[in-house]
Amino acid sequence: MKRAWAFLFASVAAACVSQAAVDASDAALATPARDAADAGAKQAPADPPVVGTFPRDFLFGTAIAGFQVDMGCPTIPAAQCEDRASDWYQFITTPRIVDNPILFMSKDPPSKGPGFFETYEQDLDRAAGRGESELGGGALRLSIEWSRIFPRPTWGVSSHASLRAIASREGVDFYHRVFSAMKARGLKPFVTVNHYSLPLWIHDGNLCNQSLAQCIAEGKGGWADPDRARIVNEIAKYAAFLAQEYGGEVDRWASLNEPFSAVVVAGYLAATPIRTNPPGLSGPWMSISGAKTAASAMVEAHARIYDALHAFDTKDADGDGKKAEVGMVYVFADVNPKTPSADDRKAADDARYFLQDMFMDGVVFGRLDEGWDRGPGKAPVRADLANRCDFIGVNYYFGLDATNSPVPIPLSFVSPFLTFDLLGGFDEERPQGLHRVLMDVAKRYGKPLYVTETGTTQDDEARGAAWVVRTLAATKRAIDDGADVRGYFAWSLMDNYEWNHGMNMRFGLYAVDAQKQRALRDAGVVYAKMSKARDVPPEIEAAYASFFAKP
């Protein structure tokens, strides 16, 4: 998400008018069964002692996304390193797109990326290792790029064997190598099926930017195609392929990442300096119908991805008795009324519904508000969408103090719930708000939670370190207060190609320089201490208490 909402809605308004490796030492791991000295009987493995104050199975990890980290290999040829079959690759390499000032593109070439496609083993060492310059984590959140697996269309192909025959052998093998390397280091994979980017054969962002109607007519309209079954069926087929191919290596799956804010709003309503997404329809060229179609398609896609993963992931990769857990990763804000007035309370309620509940109620409860006009609890429940969410991934970056909108031209033609001030109130100085968000989401949806992303730009390293400390402390408080939070993933492992920003917005616990060398930042140093201790030690919390001091 990375601070997108304030800029997104300002633009709309203007335009509209190893877990085991984390334990204390190798000696703390469960011992293999041994022959009893007197009778040759087998003894059950002993449980490792609890280390720190977080629950025994709590995952400490970091997060990355395929498009953002793969490209930019130091020595592998660009044609092999880069995934050139995605709409996002097209978006950053098409002159008419990158030169369009209303799309706010950095113009950074793909070669500036961090090159994880080549450096993944060293990066996994950093994520899992227990040395001074390593993080000691037990999990990594990453995505599998649909277009790297299927650069060619899958229309009309159904069986796993037939799909495997047309899949990219290099792409399929790459992820097997990554998962094998993760297992060797004790890192549990947390895999996102679709982290924004789509294959060109299903979404031509350049053509859709020029003419959405023509793009749809040519069958490349992506999420905005009114025949929603086209993309929904294909992404479900893709998810089933992943389940059969990688089910023995992966147990935790997320269907989509931040679908509403980063894809629906940024792609079809308002491109901004903070976030753009293909096809980049914005302002006078926005497509409200395209946005609403895309939102409904993504809710439906989540349900079908859920069904496919549960049907075809038949192997328990980590031996915990669960073959597959499938959830949604969504960005949540700490939304509060700016004042106790009735107008501001209504603004906060409307903001919470429009930004969060409208989409997530469809995912969790099956309440699909296709027109963005039904309101809390009023959309019809679809049985084919309901009860298809095992956990919720919470991405957290900001708070929102909602107040009644001063915009003289109403935005009811988009949604009657756009009553809150779109131009102000977004607060990037509120890491402690994560506690309220976790408690609210836990209460509303009753699902296990993971903090799947949180972080801040690393321009000020002390501030970046403080964000990690404060958000992990907020997570621990939520657990102590009864929320079922099962993991924390810092965004991000290393500096990455931050979408339209290229390499100009840096979130990495490791800095990446022009020669692709990594250097641990202050945030990485303090996160490593907490990850290895499985705790937020009082001395660390006290050292950063003066940062973000607002309540």
Side-chain angles (χ1 to χ4, degrees):
M1 180 64 187
K2 330 305 181 291
R3 309 186 293 177
W5 275 116
F7 291 89
L8 288 174
F9 286 114
S11 181
V12 170
C16 294
V17 230
S18 121
Q19 185 61 38
V22 180
D23 290 337
S25 69
D26 290 340
L29 302 179
T31 57
R34 296 171 295 185
D35 289 341
D38 56 350
K42 298 291 184 181
Q43 297 178 345
D47 285 335
V50 176
V51 176
T53 60
F54 279 83
R56 180 191 300 275
D57 295 327
F58 187 88
L59 296 176
F60 289 83
T62 49
I64 58 176
F67 171 83
Q68 295 182 264
V69 298
D70 287 352
M71 57 196 183
C73 296
T75 66
I76 292 177
Q80 179 183 351
C81 172
E82 297 167 0
D83 173 14
R84 296 181 173 180
S86 79
D87 60 350
W88 256 105
Y89 185 88
Q90 177 196 51
F91 218 56
I92 65 170
T93 57
T94 299
R96 66 170 301 275
I97 295 293
V98 299
D99 292 336
N100 186 339
I102 73 167
L103 295 181
F104 309 103
M105 304 296 287
S106 71
K107 300 187 180 182
D108 277 357
S111 59
K112 284 199 171 184
F116 180 80
F117 186 82
E118 179 176 351
T119 65
Y120 68 88
E121 293 206 62
Q122 300 97 304
D123 288 323
L124 296 179
D125 284 340
R126 296 180 182 99
R130 301 191 65 80
E132 287 188 7
S133 62
E134 298 167 331
L135 301 179
L140 178 71
R141 180 173 171 238
L142 69 164
S143 64
I144 295 177
E145 292 298 284
W146 188 357
S147 48
R148 197 178 278 282
I149 299 292
F150 292 112
R152 293 175 295 278
T154 56
W155 309 114
V157 184
S158 56
S159 73
H160 184 73
S162 299
L163 287 167
R164 211 167 193 271
I166 65 171
S168 164
R169 184 73 264 157
E170 293 175 351
V172 171
D173 289 347
F174 168 66
Y175 293 107
H176 279 302
R177 293 196 302 272
V178 170
F179 294 141
S180 177
M182 290 177 67
K183 183 176 182 179
R185 292 160 175 80
L187 284 171
K188 293 184 177 181
F190 192 116
V191 174
T192 307
V193 172
N194 180 244
H195 199 124
Y196 306 154
S197 60
L198 296 172
L200 280 173
W201 54 265
I202 206 164
H203 185 227
D204 186 330
N206 181 36
L207 178 59
C208 288
N209 177 264
Q210 296 177 81
S211 171
L212 183 58
Q214 181 184 348
C215 191
I216 290 170
E218 294 188 16
K220 296 181 179 180
W223 295 115
D225 190 331
D227 181 5
R228 301 196 300 247
R230 282 174 59 81
I231 189 169
V232 170
N233 290 346
E234 292 306 304
I235 202 169
K237 185 190 303 181
Y238 164 59
F241 180 88
L242 297 185
Q244 292 174 85
E245 189 69 31
Y246 302 110
E249 298 157 291
V250 178
D251 284 343
R252 292 174 182 85
W253 304 88
S255 58
L256 305 169
N257 182 80
E258 296 186 6
F260 188 69
S261 61
V263 178
V264 174
V265 175
Y268 296 96
L269 296 179
T272 72
I274 291 297
R275 176 55 57 84
T276 299
N277 195 81
L281 300 176
S282 181
W285 297 276
M286 71 166 64
S287 174
I288 298 170
S289 63
K292 292 179 179 179
T293 296
S296 294
M298 296 182 96
V299 173
E300 292 171 340
H302 164 79
R304 301 290 77 79
I305 290 169
Y306 180 97
D307 291 343
L309 291 171
H310 274 290
F312 293 101
D313 182 351
T314 60
K315 299 177 182 177
D316 179 3
D318 60 11
D320 67 353
K322 299 178 183 178
K323 298 173 183 177
E325 296 178 84
V326 185
M328 164 68 74
V329 171
Y330 200 83
V331 66
F332 292 88
D334 177 28
V335 180
N336 300 282
K338 188 172 184 178
T339 73
S341 72
D343 283 348
D344 284 0
R345 290 199 305 272
K346 181 180 186 304
D349 289 343
D350 287 350
R352 195 174 292 110
Y353 180 72
F354 185 81
L355 300 180
Q356 299 172 173
D357 300 344
M358 184 171 71
F359 193 95
M360 283 303 298
D361 283 5
V363 168
V364 180
F365 303 133
R367 291 191 180 277
L368 186 59
D369 186 351
E370 296 197 40
W372 302 2
D373 58 357
R374 303 302 289 267
K378 295 181 180 178
V381 174
R382 281 178 44 179
D384 66 316
L385 304 181
N387 302 314
R388 286 169 169 84
C389 194
D390 299 329
F391 66 82
I392 296 173
V394 173
N395 289 1
Y396 179 79
Y397 291 96
F398 55 85
L400 169 60
D401 294 324
T403 189
N404 194 49
S405 175
V407 178
I409 302 175
L411 299 175
S412 58
F413 66 95
V414 177
S415 170
F417 300 98
L418 281 171
T419 65
F420 53 98
D421 183 3
L422 306 177
L423 304 179
F426 290 86
D427 182 3
E428 302 168 45
E429 302 290 318
R430 201 184 297 177
Q432 60 273 25
L434 176 57
H435 171 266
R436 287 186 288 268
V437 165
L438 292 171
M439 298 307 297
D440 288 348
V441 176
K443 179 179 179 180
R444 180 172 183 83
Y445 294 112
K447 299 290 181 182
L449 308 177
Y450 293 87
V451 179
T452 38
E453 285 182 29
T454 190
T456 188
T457 52
Q458 296 292 329
D459 309 311
D460 179 337
E461 288 204 26
R463 179 182 179 278
W467 184 278
V468 173
V469 173
R470 297 296 296 273
T471 53
L472 190 57
T475 302
K476 180 60 171 57
R477 283 181 54 216
I479 294 171
D480 292 344
D481 290 343
D484 183 5
V485 188
R486 300 183 179 185
Y488 175 103
F489 294 81
W491 184 268
S492 174
L493 176 57
M494 80 286 277
D495 290 339
N496 55 50
Y497 196 103
E498 189 61 39
W499 309 108
N500 54 299
H501 296 272
M503 295 298 291
N504 298 316
M505 184 179 277
R506 295 175 178 261
F507 287 83
L509 301 184
Y510 288 90
V512 178
D513 66 18
Q515 287 71 46
K516 313 306 168 86
Q517 298 300 305
R518 275 62 161 158
L520 192 64
R521 287 196 173 102
D522 290 353
V525 171
V526 72
Y527 186 53
K529 291 178 180 177
M530 296 186 293
S531 174
K532 293 168 186 174
R534 298 184 58 78
D535 208 343
V536 184
E539 64 273 16
I540 290 180
E541 192 165 8
Y544 291 96
S546 63
F547 291 82
F548 311 111
K550 294 188 297 183

